[in-house]
């Protein structure tokens, strides 16, 4: 089966691009033995008229303009058209709408989306009303063509059905997996003892406000004020150390030494604390699960699918304050056997659902289903219908 993988602005060959998802996804698909080709990434370089428009837009709105420039959409569709004519793939797979907005095909097409535009802007308003409308129009054009859609959560699945009218039976959930390679992940960790003399919390994220760094710090302070010695380690960003709060900075996964140092951060904590204000499909929670580290979080965006409450962590109600996280931590301090059981089930969830071997096999199976569906309906074509 020949698959053409279309990218957006991230290269599937660079582990440091984005959060490493494109890199791991591309190789997970390739490892399934398919004939995999890709196009991209594409630079988002706006034309002069669009630059002028964006400046005018900024005068009337404090929200962002559209995520992609018209030039990027044109470049993507042109590159896809050329690649299809040359490669004659059995299917197109895309994790980004860039190439498909201005391209029309009857080839089997599988679209992977972490969050729809509608759901994202509703939960975390980022784009102006007009730009949100434009992007939803783009996304509708892409979704309309999709033979199958892969998403990461029940939250996004609900948006695809309710906001876009996409058939529920053609939506497949493949959970976001860890971006860490197997060589830095423990093969069979043993969870037979726990020492809570110092509670160790890990926060991993680059966008601090979005990921709730202030809540994580408040949790740390409240625990220490209650006489529970607690340390918070912040990974992925720089900051000024505070009492009980230490910043490690950013690690590059493309550099072996830094990759090992980054993975080693997950050997340290009792919990990953992820009190995000929005997150469609977190990766760090899957990375933590690989080490049997439960996540403390709340049910915003698609987090409640990536972290299963009581299985790979604790999922509080959306917007829960710091005091609720403190209650959970105190509960496990008082019940160490329950904590060890949670660590065990967290690692089991990683083995069953949150690794790229499982995710890659599921993605390829969905693509196979899309190819078979097109063949059975006799509508397979080798290119652009326009």
């Amino acid at each position: 089966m020949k698959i053409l993988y279309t990218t957006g602005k991230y290269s599937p060959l660079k582990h440091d691009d984005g959060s490493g998802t494109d890199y791991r996804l591309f190789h997970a698909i390739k490892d399934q033995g398919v004939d995999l080709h890709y196009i991209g990434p594409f630079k988002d370089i706006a034309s002069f008229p669009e630059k002028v428009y964006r400046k005018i837009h900024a005068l009337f709105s404090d929200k962002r303009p559209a995520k992609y420039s018209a030039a990027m959409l044109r470049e993507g569709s042109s590159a896809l058209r050329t690649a299809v004519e040359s490669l004659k793939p059995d299917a197109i797979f895309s994790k980004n709408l860039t190439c498909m907005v201005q391209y029309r095909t009857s080839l089997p097409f599988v679209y992977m989306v972490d969050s729809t535009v509608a759901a994202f802007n509703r939960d975390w308003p980022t784009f102006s009303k007009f730009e949100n409308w434009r992007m939803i129009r783009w996304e509708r054009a892409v979704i309309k063509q999709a033979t199958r859609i892969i998403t990461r959560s029940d939250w996004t699945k609900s948006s695809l059905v309710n906001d876009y009218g996409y058939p529920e039976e053609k939506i497949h959930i493949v959970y976001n997996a860890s971006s860490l390679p197997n060589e830095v992940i423990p093969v069979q960790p043993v969870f037979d003892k726990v020492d809570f003399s110092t509670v160790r919390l890990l926060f991993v994220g680059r966008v601090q406000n979005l990921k709730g760094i202030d809540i994580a710090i408040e949790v740390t302070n409240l625990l220490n004020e209650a006489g529970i010695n607690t340390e918070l380690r912040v990974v992925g960003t720089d900051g000024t150390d505070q009492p009980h709060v230490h910043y490690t900075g950013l690690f590059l996964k493309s550099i072996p030494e830094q990759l090992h140092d980054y993975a080693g951060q997950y050997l340290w904590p009792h919990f990953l604390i992820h009190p995000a204000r929005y997150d469609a499909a977190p990766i760090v929670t899957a990375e933590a699960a690989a080490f049997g580290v439960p996540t403390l979080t709340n049910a915003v965006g698609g987090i409640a699918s990536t972290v299963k409450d009581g299985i790979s962590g604790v999922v509080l109600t959306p917007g829960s304050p710091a005091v609720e996280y403190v209650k959970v931590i105190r509960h496990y301090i008082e019940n160490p056997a329950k904590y060890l059981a949670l660590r065990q089930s967290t690692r089991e969830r990683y083995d069953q659902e949150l690794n790229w071997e499982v995710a890659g096999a599921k993605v390829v199976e969905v693509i196979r289903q899309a190819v078979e569906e097109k063949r059975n309906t006799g509508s397979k074509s080798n290119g652009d219908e326009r």
Side-chain angles (χ1 to χ4, degrees), residues 124 201-205 207-220 232-234 271-280 282 284-285 294-301 303 307 314-326 329:
W124 191 252
L201 303 179
L202 182 68
F203 177 96
V204 183
V207 187
Q208 296 188 28
N209 179 59
L210 182 67
K211 305 302 183 182
I213 181 64
D214 54 316
I215 300 172
I217 292 174
E218 186 179 358
V219 169
T220 303
L232 173 66
R233 187 178 292 181
V234 181
F271 299 98
L272 175 74
I273 185 163
H274 191 71
R277 293 179 168 89
Y278 170 82
D279 204 329
V284 295
T285 57
T295 296
L296 307 182
T297 187
N298 68 136
V300 297
I303 296 178
V307 181
V314 176
V315 183
L316 300 170
T317 57
S320 290
V323 66
E324 296 302 319
Y325 291 87
V326 170
I329 294 169

Side-chain angles (χ1 to χ4, degrees), residues 260-280:
H260 281 268
D261 287 345
Y262 174 73
Q265 303 303 313
Y266 289 106
L267 294 169
W268 175 79
H270 293 106
F271 299 98
L272 175 74
I273 185 163
H274 191 71
R277 293 179 168 89
Y278 170 82
D279 204 329

Side-chain angles (χ1 to χ4, degrees), residues 13 21 58-59 66 76 79 117 128 159 167 181 191 197 219 247 288 305-306 317 329 350 381:
L13 304 183
T21 301
L59 296 175
V117 175
S128 66
S159 176
F191 311 116
S197 57
V219 169
Y247 291 82
S305 291
T306 309
T317 57
I329 294 169
Y350 168 78
S381 113

Side-chain angles (χ1 to χ4, degrees), residues 47 59 129 142 155 166 177 267 276 313 327 336-337 343 355 365:
S47 64
L59 296 175
K129 289 183 178 180
V142 175
W155 171 73
Y166 194 79
L267 294 169
K327 290 178 183 177
R343 289 205 69 179
N355 66 80
E365 178 55 30

Side-chain angles (χ1 to χ4, degrees), residues 39-307:
I39 56 170
F42 304 99
K43 294 182 179 180
D44 189 9
I45 303 176
S47 64
F48 177 74
E50 190 156 11
K51 289 179 181 178
V52 172
Y53 164 74
R54 288 180 176 181
K55 288 184 178 180
I56 295 173
H57 178 275
L59 296 175
F60 294 93
S61 176
D62 59 353
K63 301 295 185 182
R64 282 183 53 187
K67 190 174 182 179
Y68 309 108
S69 65
M72 186 176 179
L73 300 184
R74 287 193 299 271
E75 181 187 359
S77 65
S78 177
L80 178 55
R81 186 175 299 109
T82 299
V84 167
E85 291 173 355
S86 172
L87 294 170
K88 295 181 171 52
D90 296 301
I92 298 171
F93 172 81
S94 180
K95 189 178 170 290
N96 186 285
L97 58 74
T98 301
C99 295
M100 294 298 299
V101 173
Q102 298 180 10
Y103 184 79
R104 300 295 176 266
T105 187
S106 58
L107 276 169
F109 165 50
V110 176
Y111 181 45
M112 175 179 272
V113 56
D114 291 352
S115 169
T116 64
V117 175
F120 168 75
N121 217 44
R122 186 163 53 235
D123 278 30
W124 191 252
T126 300
F127 303 101
S128 66
K129 289 183 178 180
F130 177 69
E131 295 297 273
N132 184 58
W133 173 79
R134 285 180 68 206
M135 291 179 66
I136 287 177
R137 285 188 64 209
W138 296 347
E139 191 164 59
R140 284 191 189 280
V142 175
I143 288 172
K144 186 177 180 179
Q145 296 191 80
T147 314
R148 291 280 193 279
I149 292 181
I150 298 173
T151 189
R152 310 309 194 117
S153 67
D154 293 304
W155 171 73
T156 303
K157 180 178 180 178
S158 176
S159 176
L160 287 165
V161 173
N162 298 321
D163 292 321
Y164 296 82
Y166 194 79
E168 184 174 359
E169 65 273 13
K170 293 187 177 184
I171 303 173
H172 305 261
I173 294 179
V174 178
Y175 300 109
N176 216 356
S178 164
S179 68
L180 297 173
N182 290 338
E183 58 264 27
V184 298
I185 294 173
V187 177
Q188 290 182 323
V190 177
F191 311 116
D192 58 358
K193 60 182 178 179
V194 58
D195 178 6
F196 279 128
S197 57
T198 297
V199 175
R200 300 186 296 273
L201 303 179
L202 182 68
F203 177 96
V204 183
R206 298 182 187 182
V207 187
Q208 296 188 28
N209 179 59
L210 182 67
K211 305 302 183 182
I213 181 64
D214 54 316
I215 300 172
I217 292 174
E218 186 179 358
V219 169
T220 303
N221 290 337
L222 288 174
L223 286 166
N224 279 290
E225 289 169 7
I228 301 172
N229 191 30
T230 304
E231 297 294 323
L232 173 66
R233 187 178 292 181
V234 181
V235 174
T237 186
D238 292 319
T240 302
D241 286 356
Q242 307 170 30
H244 310 291
V245 179
H246 175 65
Y247 291 82
T248 68
L250 178 67
F251 295 87
L252 297 178
K253 296 172 184 174
S254 61
I255 301 176
E257 183 179 352
Q258 292 194 30
L259 171 64
H260 281 268
D261 287 345
Y262 174 73
Q265 303 303 313
Y266 289 106
L267 294 169
W268 175 79
H270 293 106
F271 299 98
L272 175 74
I273 185 163
H274 191 71
R277 293 179 168 89
Y278 170 82
D279 204 329
I283 297 171
V284 295
T285 57
E287 292 178 346
F291 292 79
V293 177
T295 296
L296 307 182
T297 187
N298 68 136
V300 297
I303 296 178
S305 291
T306 309
V307 181

Side-chain angles (χ1 to χ4, degrees), residues 10-32:
Y10 298 131
S11 170
L13 304 183
K14 295 182 178 180
H15 204 167
D16 294 323
D17 269 17
S19 298
T21 301
D22 287 83
Y23 176 88
R24 292 308 310 272
L25 175 61
F26 179 81
H27 288 85
I29 295 173
K30 189 174 182 179
D31 288 346
Q32 294 300 310

